[in-house]
Amino acid sequence: MTEASTGSGVWTVLTTTDAALKAQLLARGAVDARLAACAQISAPVTSVYRWEGKTETAEEWQILFKTTAERYPLLQEWLQEAHDYETPEIIATPVAAGSAAYLDWVRRETTQ
């Protein structure tokens, strides 16, 4: 069976924060804890959103983590504790397919 037909077991997880240093700390913390094999920081992005009844605009840094389905609950819990937002964006997306070597690497790097 191919990765596409079985599902890879690898997920990408997205969050944002309001400063480059905070993004680096979140990325490094998750990788050091083996909750993610990799974290990519993209920035800055402009976010437009509703918060407490108002439309807001903010500059944010996106962090995209690579993890596994098994490690996701721990990554989510860690992000909620480490993040300084009241309601941090945490969105997880299963990876349907990918390079077998890369997906294996993500699995190895997130194993304790």
Side-chain angles (χ1 to χ4, degrees):
M1 288 190 189
T2 66
E3 297 287 352
S5 65
T6 62
S8 70
V10 171
W11 290 16
T12 59
V13 179
L14 177 69
T15 195
T16 56
T17 192
D18 60 0
L21 180 58
K22 290 178 186 179
Q24 291 171 17
L25 292 172
L26 288 170
R28 182 166 289 280
V31 172
D32 285 348
R34 299 187 73 113
L35 299 173
C38 173
Q40 297 171 315
I41 301 168
S42 300
V45 297
T46 301
S47 296
V48 179
Y49 55 94
R50 289 192 51 79
W51 182 251
E52 297 181 349
K54 297 179 191 169
T55 300
E56 304 282 346
T57 302
E59 184 175 83
E60 293 186 299
W61 282 254
Q62 289 184 333
I63 311 157
L64 186 64
F65 300 92
K66 310 322 184 331
T67 193
T68 61
E70 293 79 21
R71 297 296 279 168
Y72 171 73
L74 292 172
L75 176 59
Q76 178 182 324
E77 180 180 324
W78 183 87
L79 283 171
Q80 288 171 321
E81 297 218 0
H83 210 295
D84 66 339
Y85 283 13
E86 182 180 332
T87 307
E89 172 184 21
I90 302 173
I91 298 174
T93 306
V95 174
S99 157
Y102 182 81
L103 298 174
D104 287 343
W105 172 79
V106 171
R107 290 184 203 106
R108 279 193 315 274
E109 292 304 315
T110 55
T111 302
Q112 285 203 311

